[in-house]
Amino acid sequence: MTILFFISLGVILYTYFGYPVLLMAWKLVAGKPVAKQDILPTVSVLVSVHNEEPHIERRIENLLEADYPRDRMEILIGCDGCTDGTVRIVERLAETLAIRFRVSPERIGKPAMLNGLAREAGGKIFVFADARQRFAPAAIRELVRCFGDERVGCVSGELVIEERGSGAGRGVGLYWKYEVWLRKMESGIGSMLGATGAIYALRREFFRDAPADVLLDDVYTPMNAIMAGKRSVLEPAARAFDTASASVEKEFNRKVRTLVGNFQIFSLFRSAFNPFRSSIAWQLFSHKLLRLTLSYFLVLFFILSAFLAGRGLPYLLSLVAQVLFYGAACAGFVLERFHAKLRGVFRAVYVPYEFCVLNAAAVVALYRYLSGGMDVKWRK
């Protein structure tokens, strides 16, 4: 029982602390900076949308404001089974603006729509964007500069989360900042895992049609470049902006979908776990696989701490610390239900609440994956 206690503690500490420390050390000793160049290849911006009437016009206007030569950039919009006014708005804009679009009367899903747009695109670099977020004016130019390094196959921009809504939503923002920091460290030693779906770019020669049911095109697409021997890097200067989920429940649903998608990626890229064939095997195991199993180690650690609490002060302290942590999470749960708006240090209770929600999402995701997965067609 004591051995299991320390194994579970070791896994928890390695996942959240040991792995980041090793990343920092590796980056410091053997970091791989990107050799950026001011190049201007042709660019195709691909946007798949479904019922985005409130956002689509602003999205197109935002892309047209990009600090990139208009004669070197094309915008392709894919309308996927829209039942609102999205198609009408796109058709109207296409009459006067240099955009192209395709319409699927039936809902085919984002991967299938992106596959179709890619076949029509003429750019040497594909830039992928969503409808809701907005790009900083220099975002596309900053993405493209990284392709001046021939070792780079995929570049992700940085999604800046602008906090709003409940304090729990702020907890989501804090988790995202931690995640972005990890990606920066991974990018600095070679390749990060996947990309930010709201803003990333790819050399067109590494684009492969995604399976119609793949949930994470922003992981599947970069993985093809990585497995071909190229780097997938993060460029913080290429920024997109979004708001945090209005509640943890919405973030929970999004996270379950993401984690089911990770199980798909594991199945599609099994060789990526082989350190003799993959440059990201360590990152994939530490950042992705362990995260998906951590929920079970957390439960095991709590149970063992309770059983061993009478055998010594270290075990008792670990139990007390966990009770306080999960108590704070319960407080965050209750306060969010009452839409409480805490200030200052008291908002910290939303961090353990968010932590617990995300680990619960991993359990639900495994069940969903084993019971048949999820519908690729995102429902808002």
Coordinates of all heavy atoms in Angstrom, one line a residue, residues 147-224:
F147 N 8.0 29.9 -41.5 CA 8.3 28.9 -42.6 C 9.6 29.3 -43.4 O 9.9 28.6 -44.3 CB 7.1 28.9 -43.5 CG 5.9 28.2 -42.9 CD1 4.8 29.0 -42.6 CD2 5.8 26.9 -42.7 CE1 3.7 28.4 -42.0 CE2 4.7 26.3 -42.1 CZ 3.6 27.0 -41.7
G148 N 10.2 30.4 -43.0 CA 11.5 30.6 -43.5 C 12.5 29.6 -43.1 O 13.6 29.5 -43.6
D149 N 12.2 28.9 -42.0 CA 13.0 27.8 -41.5 C 12.5 26.5 -42.2 O 11.4 26.1 -41.9 CB 12.9 27.7 -40.0 CG 13.8 26.7 -39.4 OD1 14.2 25.7 -40.0 OD2 14.2 26.9 -38.2
E150 N 13.3 25.9 -43.0 CA 12.9 24.7 -43.8 C 12.5 23.5 -42.9 O 11.9 22.6 -43.3 CB 14.0 24.3 -44.8 CG 14.1 25.3 -45.9 CD 12.9 25.4 -46.8 OE1 12.2 24.4 -46.9 OE2 12.6 26.5 -47.2
R151 N 13.0 23.5 -41.6 CA 12.7 22.4 -40.7 C 11.2 22.5 -40.2 O 10.7 21.5 -39.6 CB 13.6 22.5 -39.5 CG 15.1 22.4 -39.8 CD 15.9 22.6 -38.6 NE 15.7 24.0 -38.1 CZ 16.2 24.5 -37.0 NH1 17.0 23.7 -36.2 NH2 16.0 25.7 -36.6
V152 N 10.6 23.6 -40.4 CA 9.2 23.9 -39.8 C 8.1 23.4 -40.9 O 8.2 23.9 -42.0 CB 9.0 25.3 -39.4 CG1 7.6 25.6 -39.1 CG2 10.0 25.7 -38.3
G153 N 7.2 22.6 -40.4 CA 6.1 22.2 -41.3 C 4.8 22.8 -40.9 O 3.9 22.9 -41.7
C154 N 4.7 23.1 -39.6 CA 3.4 23.6 -39.0 C 3.7 24.7 -38.0 O 4.7 24.6 -37.2 CB 2.6 22.5 -38.4 SG 0.9 23.0 -37.8
V155 N 2.9 25.7 -38.0 CA 3.1 26.8 -37.0 C 1.7 27.1 -36.4 O 0.7 27.4 -37.1 CB 3.6 28.1 -37.7 CG1 3.9 29.2 -36.6 CG2 4.9 27.8 -38.5
S156 N 1.7 27.2 -35.1 CA 0.5 27.6 -34.4 C 0.6 29.0 -33.8 O 1.7 29.3 -33.3 CB 0.2 26.6 -33.2 OG -0.9 27.1 -32.4
G157 N -0.4 29.8 -33.9 CA -0.4 31.0 -33.3 C -0.8 30.9 -31.8 O -1.0 29.7 -31.3
E158 N -0.9 32.0 -31.1 CA -1.2 31.9 -29.7 C -2.7 32.5 -29.5 O -2.9 33.6 -29.9 CB -0.3 32.7 -28.8 CG -0.6 32.7 -27.3 CD 0.4 33.3 -26.4 OE1 1.6 33.4 -26.8 OE2 0.0 33.7 -25.3
L159 N -3.5 31.7 -28.9 CA -4.9 32.2 -28.6 C -4.9 32.9 -27.3 O -4.6 32.3 -26.2 CB -5.9 31.0 -28.6 CG -7.3 31.3 -28.4 CD1 -7.9 32.2 -29.5 CD2 -8.2 30.0 -28.3
V160 N -5.3 34.1 -27.3 CA -5.3 34.9 -26.0 C -6.7 34.9 -25.5 O -7.7 35.3 -26.2 CB -4.9 36.4 -26.3 CG1 -5.0 37.2 -25.0 CG2 -3.5 36.4 -26.9
I161 N -6.9 34.4 -24.3 CA -8.2 34.2 -23.7 C -8.5 35.5 -22.9 O -7.8 35.8 -22.0 CB -8.3 33.0 -22.8 CG1 -8.1 31.7 -23.6 CG2 -9.7 33.0 -22.2 CD1 -9.1 31.4 -24.7
E162 N -9.6 36.2 -23.3 CA -10.0 37.4 -22.6 C -11.1 37.0 -21.6 O -12.1 36.5 -22.0 CB -10.5 38.5 -23.6 CG -9.4 38.9 -24.6 CD -9.9 39.8 -25.7 OE1 -11.1 39.6 -26.1 OE2 -9.2 40.6 -26.2
E163 N -10.8 37.2 -20.3 CA -11.7 36.7 -19.3 C -13.0 37.4 -19.3 O -13.1 38.6 -19.6 CB -11.0 36.8 -17.9 CG -9.8 35.9 -17.8 CD -9.1 36.1 -16.5 OE1 -9.5 37.1 -15.8 OE2 -8.2 35.4 -16.2
R164 N -14.1 36.6 -19.0 CA -15.4 37.2 -18.8 C -16.2 36.3 -18.0 O -15.8 35.2 -17.5 CB -16.1 37.4 -20.2 CG -16.5 36.0 -20.8 CD -17.4 36.2 -22.0 NE -17.9 34.9 -22.4 CZ -18.7 34.7 -23.4 NH1 -19.1 35.7 -24.1 NH2 -19.2 33.5 -23.7
G165 N -17.4 36.7 -17.7 CA -18.4 35.8 -17.1 C -18.0 35.5 -15.6 O -17.4 36.3 -14.9
S166 N -18.3 34.3 -15.1 CA -18.2 34.0 -13.7 C -16.7 33.8 -13.4 O -15.8 33.6 -14.2 CB -18.9 32.7 -13.4 OG -18.3 31.6 -14.1
G167 N -16.5 33.8 -12.1 CA -15.1 33.5 -11.6 C -14.6 32.2 -12.1 O -13.4 32.0 -12.3
A168 N -15.5 31.2 -12.3 CA -15.1 29.9 -12.8 C -14.6 30.0 -14.2 O -13.6 29.3 -14.5 CB -16.3 28.9 -12.8
G169 N -15.1 30.9 -15.0 CA -14.6 31.1 -16.3 C -13.2 31.6 -16.2 O -12.3 31.4 -17.1
R170 N -12.8 32.4 -15.2 CA -11.5 32.9 -15.0 C -10.5 31.7 -14.7 O -9.4 31.7 -15.0 CB -11.4 33.9 -13.8 CG -12.2 35.1 -14.2 CD -12.3 36.1 -13.0 NE -13.2 37.2 -13.2 CZ -12.9 38.3 -13.8 NH1 -11.6 38.5 -14.3 NH2 -13.8 39.3 -14.0
G171 N -11.1 30.7 -14.0 CA -10.3 29.5 -13.7 C -9.9 28.8 -15.0 O -8.8 28.3 -15.2
V172 N -10.8 28.8 -16.0 CA -10.6 28.2 -17.3 C -9.4 29.0 -18.0 O -8.5 28.4 -18.6 CB -11.8 28.3 -18.2 CG1 -11.5 27.9 -19.6 CG2 -12.9 27.4 -17.6
G173 N -9.4 30.3 -17.8 CA -8.4 31.1 -18.4 C -7.0 30.8 -17.8 O -6.0 30.8 -18.5
L174 N -7.0 30.6 -16.5 CA -5.7 30.3 -15.9 C -5.2 28.9 -16.4 O -4.0 28.8 -16.6 CB -5.9 30.2 -14.3 CG -6.1 31.6 -13.7 CD1 -6.4 31.4 -12.2 CD2 -4.8 32.5 -13.8
Y175 N -6.0 28.0 -16.5 CA -5.6 26.7 -17.0 C -5.1 26.8 -18.4 O -4.1 26.2 -18.8 CB -6.8 25.7 -17.0 CG -6.4 24.3 -17.6 CD1 -5.8 23.4 -16.9 CD2 -6.8 24.1 -19.0 CE1 -5.4 22.1 -17.5 CE2 -6.4 22.9 -19.6 CZ -5.8 21.9 -18.8 OH -5.4 20.7 -19.4
W176 N -5.7 27.6 -19.2 CA -5.3 27.8 -20.6 C -3.9 28.5 -20.7 O -3.0 28.1 -21.5 CB -6.3 28.6 -21.4 CG -5.8 28.9 -22.8 CD1 -5.5 30.2 -23.3 CD2 -5.6 28.0 -23.9 NE1 -5.1 30.0 -24.6 CE2 -5.2 28.7 -25.0 CE3 -5.7 26.6 -24.0 CZ2 -4.9 28.1 -26.2 CZ3 -5.4 26.0 -25.2 CH2 -5.0 26.7 -26.3
K177 N -3.6 29.4 -19.8 CA -2.3 30.0 -19.7 C -1.2 29.0 -19.4 O -0.1 29.0 -20.0 CB -2.3 31.2 -18.7 CG -3.1 32.4 -19.1 CD -3.1 33.4 -18.0 CE -4.0 34.6 -18.4 NZ -4.1 35.6 -17.4
Y178 N -1.5 28.1 -18.5 CA -0.6 27.0 -18.2 C -0.3 26.1 -19.4 O 0.8 25.7 -19.7 CB -1.1 26.2 -17.0 CG -0.4 24.9 -16.7 CD1 0.9 24.9 -16.1 CD2 -0.9 23.7 -17.0 CE1 1.6 23.8 -15.8 CE2 -0.2 22.5 -16.8 CZ 1.0 22.5 -16.1 OH 1.7 21.4 -15.9
E179 N -1.4 25.8 -20.1 CA -1.3 25.0 -21.3 C -0.5 25.6 -22.4 O 0.4 25.0 -23.0 CB -2.7 24.6 -21.8 CG -2.8 23.6 -22.9 CD -2.4 22.2 -22.3 OE1 -2.5 21.9 -21.1 OE2 -2.0 21.3 -23.1
V180 N -0.7 26.9 -22.6 CA 0.1 27.6 -23.6 C 1.6 27.7 -23.2 O 2.5 27.5 -24.0 CB -0.4 29.1 -23.7 CG1 0.5 29.9 -24.6 CG2 -1.8 29.1 -24.4
W181 N 1.9 27.8 -21.9 CA 3.2 27.8 -21.4 C 3.9 26.5 -21.7 O 5.1 26.4 -22.2 CB 3.3 28.1 -19.9 CG 4.7 28.1 -19.4 CD1 5.6 29.2 -19.4 CD2 5.3 27.1 -18.7 NE1 6.8 28.8 -18.8 CE2 6.6 27.5 -18.4 CE3 4.9 25.8 -18.4 CZ2 7.5 26.7 -17.7 CZ3 5.9 25.0 -17.7 CH2 7.1 25.4 -17.4
L182 N 3.2 25.4 -21.5 CA 3.8 24.1 -21.8 C 4.1 24.0 -23.3 O 5.1 23.4 -23.7 CB 2.8 23.0 -21.4 CG 2.8 22.5 -20.0 CD1 1.8 21.3 -19.8 CD2 4.1 22.0 -19.5
R183 N 3.2 24.5 -24.1 CA 3.4 24.4 -25.6 C 4.6 25.2 -26.0 O 5.3 24.8 -26.9 CB 2.1 24.9 -26.3 CG 0.9 24.0 -26.1 CD -0.3 24.5 -27.0 NE -1.5 23.7 -26.7 CZ -2.6 23.8 -27.5 NH1 -2.6 24.7 -28.5 NH2 -3.6 23.0 -27.2
K184 N 4.8 26.3 -25.4 CA 6.0 27.1 -25.7 C 7.2 26.3 -25.4 O 8.2 26.4 -26.1 CB 6.0 28.4 -24.9 CG 4.9 29.4 -25.4 CD 5.0 30.7 -24.5 CE 3.9 31.7 -25.0 NZ 3.9 32.9 -24.2
M185 N 7.3 25.7 -24.2 CA 8.4 24.9 -23.8 C 8.6 23.7 -24.8 O 9.8 23.5 -25.3 CB 8.3 24.3 -22.4 CG 8.2 25.4 -21.3 SD 9.7 26.3 -21.2 CE 9.2 27.9 -21.9
E186 N 7.6 23.0 -25.2 CA 7.7 21.9 -26.1 C 8.2 22.4 -27.5 O 9.0 21.8 -28.2 CB 6.3 21.2 -26.3 CG 5.9 20.4 -25.0 CD 4.5 19.9 -25.1 OE1 3.7 20.4 -25.8 OE2 4.2 19.0 -24.3
S187 N 7.6 23.5 -27.9 CA 8.0 24.1 -29.2 C 9.5 24.4 -29.2 O 10.2 24.3 -30.2 CB 7.2 25.4 -29.5 OG 7.7 26.0 -30.6
G188 N 10.0 24.9 -28.0 CA 11.4 25.3 -27.9 C 12.4 24.2 -28.0 O 13.6 24.4 -28.3
I189 N 11.9 22.9 -27.7 CA 12.9 21.8 -27.8 C 12.7 21.0 -29.1 O 13.4 20.1 -29.3 CB 12.7 20.9 -26.6 CG1 11.4 20.1 -26.6 CG2 12.9 21.6 -25.3 CD1 11.3 19.0 -25.6
G190 N 11.7 21.4 -29.9 CA 11.5 20.6 -31.1 C 10.1 20.9 -31.7 O 9.9 21.7 -32.5
S191 N 9.1 20.1 -31.2 CA 7.8 20.2 -31.6 C 6.8 20.2 -30.5 O 7.0 19.4 -29.5 CB 7.4 19.1 -32.6 OG 8.0 19.3 -33.8
M192 N 5.8 21.0 -30.5 CA 4.7 20.9 -29.6 C 3.6 19.9 -30.2 O 3.8 19.4 -31.3 CB 4.0 22.2 -29.3 CG 3.4 22.8 -30.6 SD 2.5 24.3 -30.2 CE 1.7 24.6 -31.7
L193 N 2.7 19.5 -29.4 CA 1.7 18.5 -29.8 C 0.4 19.3 -30.3 O -0.3 20.0 -29.6 CB 1.3 17.6 -28.6 CG 2.5 17.0 -27.9 CD1 2.0 16.3 -26.6 CD2 3.2 16.1 -28.8
G194 N 0.2 19.1 -31.6 CA -1.0 19.7 -32.1 C -0.8 21.2 -32.4 O 0.3 21.7 -32.4
A195 N -1.9 21.9 -32.4 CA -1.9 23.4 -32.7 C -3.2 24.0 -32.1 O -4.0 23.2 -31.6 CB -1.8 23.7 -34.2
T196 N -3.3 25.3 -32.1 CA -4.5 25.9 -31.6 C -5.4 26.1 -32.8 O -5.1 26.8 -33.8 CB -4.1 27.3 -31.1 OG1 -3.3 27.2 -30.0 CG2 -5.4 28.0 -30.6
G197 N -6.6 25.4 -32.8 CA -7.5 25.3 -33.9 C -7.9 26.7 -34.5 O -8.2 26.8 -35.6
A198 N -7.9 27.7 -33.6 CA -8.3 29.0 -34.0 C -7.3 29.8 -34.9 O -7.7 30.7 -35.6 CB -8.7 29.9 -32.8
I199 N -6.1 29.3 -34.9 CA -5.0 30.0 -35.6 C -3.8 29.1 -35.8 O -3.0 29.0 -34.9 CB -4.6 31.4 -35.0 CG1 -3.5 32.0 -35.8 CG2 -4.3 31.2 -33.5 CD1 -3.3 33.5 -35.4
Y200 N -3.7 28.5 -36.9 CA -2.5 27.7 -37.2 C -2.3 27.6 -38.7 O -3.2 27.9 -39.5 CB -2.5 26.3 -36.6 CG -3.4 25.3 -37.2 CD1 -2.9 24.3 -38.0 CD2 -4.8 25.3 -36.9 CE1 -3.7 23.3 -38.5 CE2 -5.6 24.3 -37.4 CZ -5.1 23.3 -38.2 OH -5.9 22.3 -38.7
A201 N -1.0 27.3 -39.1 CA -0.7 27.3 -40.6 C 0.1 26.0 -40.9 O 0.8 25.5 -40.0 CB 0.1 28.5 -40.9
L202 N 0.1 25.6 -42.1 CA 0.7 24.4 -42.6 C 1.3 24.5 -44.0 O 0.6 25.2 -44.8 CB -0.3 23.2 -42.5 CG 0.2 21.8 -42.9 CD1 0.9 21.2 -41.7 CD2 -1.0 21.0 -43.4
R203 N 2.4 24.0 -44.2 CA 2.9 23.9 -45.6 C 1.9 22.9 -46.4 O 1.6 21.8 -45.9 CB 4.3 23.3 -45.7 CG 5.4 24.2 -45.1 CD 6.8 23.5 -45.3 NE 7.8 24.2 -44.6 CZ 8.5 25.2 -45.0 NH1 8.2 25.8 -46.2 NH2 9.4 25.8 -44.2
R204 N 1.5 23.4 -47.5 CA 0.4 22.6 -48.2 C 0.9 21.2 -48.5 O 0.0 20.3 -48.6 CB -0.1 23.3 -49.5 CG 0.8 23.2 -50.7 CD 0.1 23.7 -52.0 NE -1.0 22.9 -52.3 CZ -2.2 23.3 -52.8 NH1 -2.4 24.6 -52.9 NH2 -3.2 22.5 -53.1
E205 N 2.2 20.9 -48.7 CA 2.6 19.6 -49.1 C 2.4 18.5 -48.0 O 2.5 17.3 -48.2 CB 4.1 19.6 -49.6 CG 5.1 20.0 -48.5 CD 5.4 21.5 -48.7 OE1 4.6 22.3 -49.1 OE2 6.6 21.8 -48.5
F206 N 2.2 19.0 -46.7 CA 1.9 18.1 -45.6 C 0.5 18.0 -45.3 O 0.1 17.3 -44.3 CB 2.7 18.6 -44.4 CG 4.2 18.6 -44.6 CD1 4.9 19.8 -44.7 CD2 4.9 17.4 -44.9 CE1 6.3 19.8 -44.9 CE2 6.3 17.4 -45.1 CZ 7.0 18.6 -45.1
F207 N -0.4 18.6 -46.0 CA -1.8 18.4 -45.8 C -2.3 17.1 -46.3 O -2.0 16.7 -47.4 CB -2.7 19.5 -46.4 CG -4.1 19.4 -46.1 CD1 -4.6 20.0 -44.9 CD2 -5.0 18.7 -46.9 CE1 -6.0 19.9 -44.6 CE2 -6.3 18.6 -46.6 CZ -6.8 19.2 -45.4
R208 N -3.0 16.4 -45.4 CA -3.6 15.1 -45.8 C -5.1 15.1 -45.4 O -5.4 15.7 -44.4 CB -2.9 13.9 -45.0 CG -1.4 13.8 -45.2 CD -1.1 13.3 -46.6 NE 0.4 13.2 -46.8 CZ 1.2 14.1 -47.2 NH1 0.7 15.3 -47.5 NH2 2.5 13.9 -47.3
D209 N -5.9 14.6 -46.3 CA -7.3 14.6 -46.0 C -7.5 13.9 -44.7 O -7.1 12.8 -44.4 CB -8.1 13.8 -47.1 CG -8.4 14.6 -48.3 OD1 -7.9 15.8 -48.3 OD2 -9.0 14.1 -49.2
A210 N -8.3 14.6 -43.8 CA -8.6 14.0 -42.5 C -9.7 13.0 -42.6 O -10.6 13.2 -43.4 CB -8.9 15.1 -41.5
P211 N -9.7 12.0 -41.8 CA -10.9 11.1 -41.7 C -12.1 11.9 -41.4 O -12.1 12.9 -40.6 CB -10.6 10.1 -40.6 CG -9.1 10.1 -40.5 CD -8.6 11.5 -40.9
A212 N -13.3 11.6 -41.9 CA -14.5 12.4 -41.8 C -14.9 12.5 -40.3 O -15.7 13.4 -40.0 CB -15.6 11.8 -42.6
D213 N -14.5 11.5 -39.5 CA -15.0 11.5 -38.1 C -13.9 12.0 -37.1 O -14.2 12.0 -35.9 CB -15.4 10.1 -37.7 CG -14.2 9.1 -37.7 OD1 -13.2 9.4 -38.3 OD2 -14.4 8.0 -37.1
V214 N -12.8 12.5 -37.6 CA -11.8 13.0 -36.7 C -12.2 14.3 -36.0 O -12.8 15.2 -36.6 CB -10.4 13.2 -37.4 CG1 -10.4 14.5 -38.2 CG2 -9.3 13.2 -36.4
L215 N -12.1 14.3 -34.6 CA -12.6 15.4 -33.9 C -11.6 16.6 -33.8 O -12.0 17.7 -33.6 CB -12.9 14.9 -32.4 CG -14.0 13.9 -32.3 CD1 -14.2 13.4 -30.9 CD2 -15.4 14.5 -32.8
L216 N -10.3 16.3 -33.9 CA -9.3 17.3 -33.7 C -8.4 17.5 -34.9 O -7.3 16.9 -35.1 CB -8.4 16.9 -32.5 CG -9.0 16.7 -31.1 CD1 -8.0 16.3 -30.1 CD2 -9.8 17.9 -30.7
D217 N -9.0 18.2 -35.9 CA -8.2 18.5 -37.1 C -6.9 19.3 -36.7 O -5.9 19.2 -37.4 CB -9.0 19.3 -38.1 CG -9.4 20.7 -37.5 OD1 -10.4 20.8 -36.8 OD2 -8.7 21.7 -37.9
D218 N -7.0 20.1 -35.6 CA -5.8 20.9 -35.2 C -4.7 20.0 -34.6 O -3.7 20.6 -34.2 CB -6.2 22.0 -34.4 CG -7.1 21.6 -33.2 OD1 -7.4 20.4 -33.1 OD2 -7.4 22.5 -32.3
V219 N -5.0 18.8 -34.3 CA -3.9 17.8 -33.9 C -3.6 16.9 -35.0 O -2.4 16.6 -35.3 CB -4.4 17.0 -32.6 CG1 -3.3 16.1 -32.2 CG2 -4.7 18.0 -31.5
Y220 N -4.6 16.4 -35.7 CA -4.3 15.5 -36.8 C -3.5 16.1 -37.9 O -2.5 15.5 -38.4 CB -5.7 15.1 -37.5 CG -5.5 14.1 -38.7 CD1 -5.4 12.8 -38.5 CD2 -5.5 14.7 -40.0 CE1 -5.2 11.9 -39.6 CE2 -5.4 13.8 -41.0 CZ -5.2 12.5 -40.8 OH -5.1 11.6 -41.9
T221 N -3.7 17.3 -38.3 CA -3.0 18.0 -39.4 C -1.5 18.2 -39.0 O -0.6 17.9 -39.8 CB -3.7 19.3 -39.8 OG1 -5.0 19.0 -40.3 CG2 -2.9 20.0 -40.9
P222 N -1.2 18.9 -37.8 CA 0.2 19.0 -37.4 C 0.9 17.7 -37.3 O 2.1 17.6 -37.6 CB 0.1 19.7 -36.1 CG -1.2 20.5 -36.1 CD -2.1 19.6 -36.9
M223 N 0.2 16.6 -36.8 CA 0.8 15.3 -36.6 C 1.4 14.8 -37.9 O 2.4 14.1 -38.0 CB -0.1 14.3 -36.0 CG -0.3 14.6 -34.5 SD 1.1 14.2 -33.5 CE 1.2 12.4 -33.6
N224 N 0.7 15.0 -39.0 CA 1.2 14.6 -40.3 C 2.5 15.2 -40.7 O 3.4 14.6 -41.2 CB 0.2 14.9 -41.4 CG -1.0 13.9 -41.4 OD1 -0.8 12.7 -41.4 ND2 -2.2 14.4 -41.3

